């Protein structure tokens, strides 16, 4: 039986206790007496079940997707808040929750980890959390924030050796990273309307100008939100690579870079599937996420991206299967291994 | 006779003396003794003729465009360098050169002005240069840099009252602004591959979240590079506007925001013309600009955007005329007035 795998879901509907705990943690940065212990957060299995069954799982069943790669809420990562300890405690809590979701609904959710990044802090400090998430929690990928400052872009580009400790571990485990920023605290950038898309474009271009994938031939990046501006400007990027005397993008980047289908209208999906090789496109919806409404032009939710794939006249049925399942299993090899163990 | 008007051209081929003068100006910021007088720059009419005839004008004739709205080289604006005086002298020199181009080739070039912006400096300081360019040089538009810091995004969003002095003057003269950043001095952002496109998306979203066009119902922004990521993510932006309880984008933004056709492949242009109303699309190539090569997939230059419009099966001949001429004359009313005076 074939599967529909959504490679981009966040736990945006976590119980309110999580947000309340985070508020206290943030208050504790100014007034140490308010700082909560991690153990003060009480979320029961029933709390989790309720938030998942009434939301993501309900919509997955309605829309016909089977399994979601599930990570902590992206906008809540907020790596710019506090220091490494702040992020470390917060990431541990959020990753544990996604792990618990995956244990309660093993057929429907498999976790990907947020990292305890903090601006100006060596990324190698993220390794212990990453190791725990892969080895103990069965995470099949990570979310890597190229801008832990939250819209000030104070870290080096992704091609810089600064990031290599993370890449070394990714390669060792053969896990991909979704390159995903968090909340913008720069008033110029709306978080989901500008910062997310800008980061996607920026990350792609950082890879294009570099030889990162010569150093890490098996490193895999998933660029979310349909690759930001990249597919729409594919001619521009092909031309820029040519000016920079880089190989063709297919050779230079597309063995290592993949795009998801979080593009919320048919013409966008059609463009994506026209210009990007089908091997590099992974089904995703980022549901329940930034855009929750019903499109008055279609009568369906903007983020019901499966409808656009289904309606595609560009993709063959075989290619749709690739987008839904085959590519996800090829890119997320630990997901594939888990599914195979279950006989799927 | 109908015209093909390219609304986005920069004087990227200015005589080498210009760059040499700028280098001295920059050196003078550290060592006052090196600072050149503006009058030290000597560029003859023949120098200008040569750089235009061998480059932009040659390609315009080859490709079949008639008239270019011509502004100083965007990446050379570099408003982050020095202070207001630095930018003021530099803008005056660059604008004078574009004016001279328009005087030497009045049928083919009409100027748009760069502004002497400087990070942290009140935009109203730009007004005298703007007034001179419109009243004495016949400029039909301006280029407004939403991030004079060059990739650090330290200015308020375009919806902030900070920018209102410029808008008041724009409305008074009925001139549009192309929202165009300059060189990135943030290592994260490649100038033409990331910063330009990010700025386009950012500017659009700054307008979307605000009620700027309620304060200035006749203000007009041209968002270049096909609107950055906007048309590709049109569903996302429609959905975000809906979440924010804003009117439909057509009503909320499209009386005031226009997109150019600097998208360097056919599928991108097809997407643009599919989702954006034809009234809001203005022909442009940004030639000679960031992407100068020949696309091996077509055998023609990436930035020969007229070919994509010509090949479009989405636009009718009447709509192509709108994109080539009608919309430009409607948005750039001073261009229209100039052409009418000439009997065009």
């Amino acid at each position: 039986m074939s599967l529909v795998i959504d490679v981009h879901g966040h736990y945006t509907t976590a119980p309110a206790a999580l947000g309340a705990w985070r508020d206290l943690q943030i208050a504790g940065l100014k007034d140490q007496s308010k700082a909560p212990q991690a153990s003060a957060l009480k979320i029961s299995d029933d709390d989790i079940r309720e938030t998942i069954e009434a939301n993501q799982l309900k919509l997955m069943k309605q829309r016909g997707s089977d399994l979601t790669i599930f990570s902590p809420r992206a906008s809540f990562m907020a790596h710019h808040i506090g220091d490494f300890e702040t992020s470390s405690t917060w990431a541990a809590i959020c990753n544990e929750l996604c792990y618990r979701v995956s244990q309660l609904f093993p057929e429907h959710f498999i976790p990907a980890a947020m990292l305890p990044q903090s601006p100006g802090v060596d990324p190698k400090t993220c390794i212990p959390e990453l190791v725990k998430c892969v080895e103990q929690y069965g995470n099949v990928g990570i979310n890597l924030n190229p801008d832990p400052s939250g819209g000030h872009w104070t870290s080096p580009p992704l091609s810089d050796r600064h990031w290599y400790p993370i890449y070394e571990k990714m390669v060792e485990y053969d896990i991909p990273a979704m390159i995903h920023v968090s909340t913008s605290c720069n008033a110029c950038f709306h978080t989901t309307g500008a910062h997310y898309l800008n980061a996607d474009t920026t990350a792609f271009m950082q890879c294009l100008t570099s030889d990162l994938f010569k150093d890490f031939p098996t490193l895999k990046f998933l660029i979310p939100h349909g690759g930001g501006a990249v597919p729409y400007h594919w001619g521009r990027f092909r031309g820029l690579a040519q000016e920079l005397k880089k190989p063709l993008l297919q050779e230079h980047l597309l063995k290592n870079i993949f795009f998801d289908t979080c593009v919320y209208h048919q013409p966008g999906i059609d463009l994506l599937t026209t210009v990007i090789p089908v091997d590099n496109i992974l089904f995703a919806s980022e549901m329940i996420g930034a855009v929750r409404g019903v499109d008055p032009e279609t009568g369906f939710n903007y983020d019901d991206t499966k409808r656009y794939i289904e309606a595609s006249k560009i993709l063959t049925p075989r290619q749709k299967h690739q987008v839904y399942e085959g590519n996800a299993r090829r890119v997320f090899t630990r997901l594939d291994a888990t599914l195979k163990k279950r006989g799927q």
Side-chain angles (χ1 to χ4, degrees), chain A residues 43-176:
Chain A
I43 292 177
S44 70
D45 284 356
D46 280 347
D47 292 339
I48 292 177
R49 272 194 204 96
E50 199 176 313
T51 60
I52 293 291
E53 282 172 352
N55 293 296
Q56 284 86 354
L57 190 56
K58 185 179 86 176
L59 291 177
M60 286 164 66
K61 287 179 175 171
Q62 277 178 11
R63 299 180 185 183
S65 75
D66 302 295
L67 175 64
T68 297
I69 299 180
F70 206 55
S71 56
R73 186 172 192 168
S75 63
F76 275 26
M77 296 192 298
H79 294 117
H80 62 277
I81 294 174
D83 58 14
F84 172 75
E85 280 305 317
T86 316
S87 282
S88 183
T89 310
W90 179 234
I93 285 176
C94 293
N95 286 328
E96 191 196 2
L97 274 181
C98 286
Y99 167 64
R100 289 174 65 195
V101 171
S102 77
Q103 293 297 296
L104 292 169
F105 303 96
E107 281 182 45
H108 297 301
F109 296 93
I110 195 154
M114 71 174 269
L115 299 178
Q117 297 177 248
S118 193
V121 177
D122 190 331
K124 80 176 172 210
T125 56
C126 297
I127 303 294
E129 181 69 21
L130 190 163
V131 168
K132 180 187 71 184
C133 286
V134 172
E135 299 201 352
Q136 296 176 38
Y137 290 171
N139 279 239
V140 298
I142 58 171
N143 293 347
L144 181 64
N145 183 348
D147 172 30
S149 77
H152 296 290
W153 293 90
T154 53
S155 292
L158 290 171
S159 50
D160 193 276
R161 299 189 75 85
H162 173 79
W163 302 98
Y164 278 24
I166 305 273
Y167 301 158
E168 283 158 9
K169 213 68 195 168
M170 285 171 59
V171 165
E172 182 190 325
Y173 284 136
D174 197 21
I175 52 171

Side-chain angles (χ1 to χ4, degrees), chain A residues 170-172 174-175 213 215-221 255-256:
Chain A
M170 285 171 59
V171 165
E172 182 190 325
D174 197 21
I175 52 171
F213 302 121
D215 278 1
F216 293 100
T218 62
L219 189 66
K220 287 173 286 189
F221 287 165
K255 292 174 188 166
N256 306 87

Side-chain angles (χ1 to χ4, degrees), chain A residues 11 20 30 38 55 75 95 121 128 147 154 166 169 212 219 238 240 247 267 269-270 281 288 295 316-317:
Chain A
Y11 197 4
K30 285 194 176 160
N55 293 296
S75 63
N95 286 328
V121 177
D147 172 30
T154 53
I166 305 273
K169 213 68 195 168
L212 175 60
L219 189 66
R238 290 197 286 110
L240 287 169
I269 290 289
D270 289 346
I281 302 173
I288 298 169
D295 184 346
T316 64

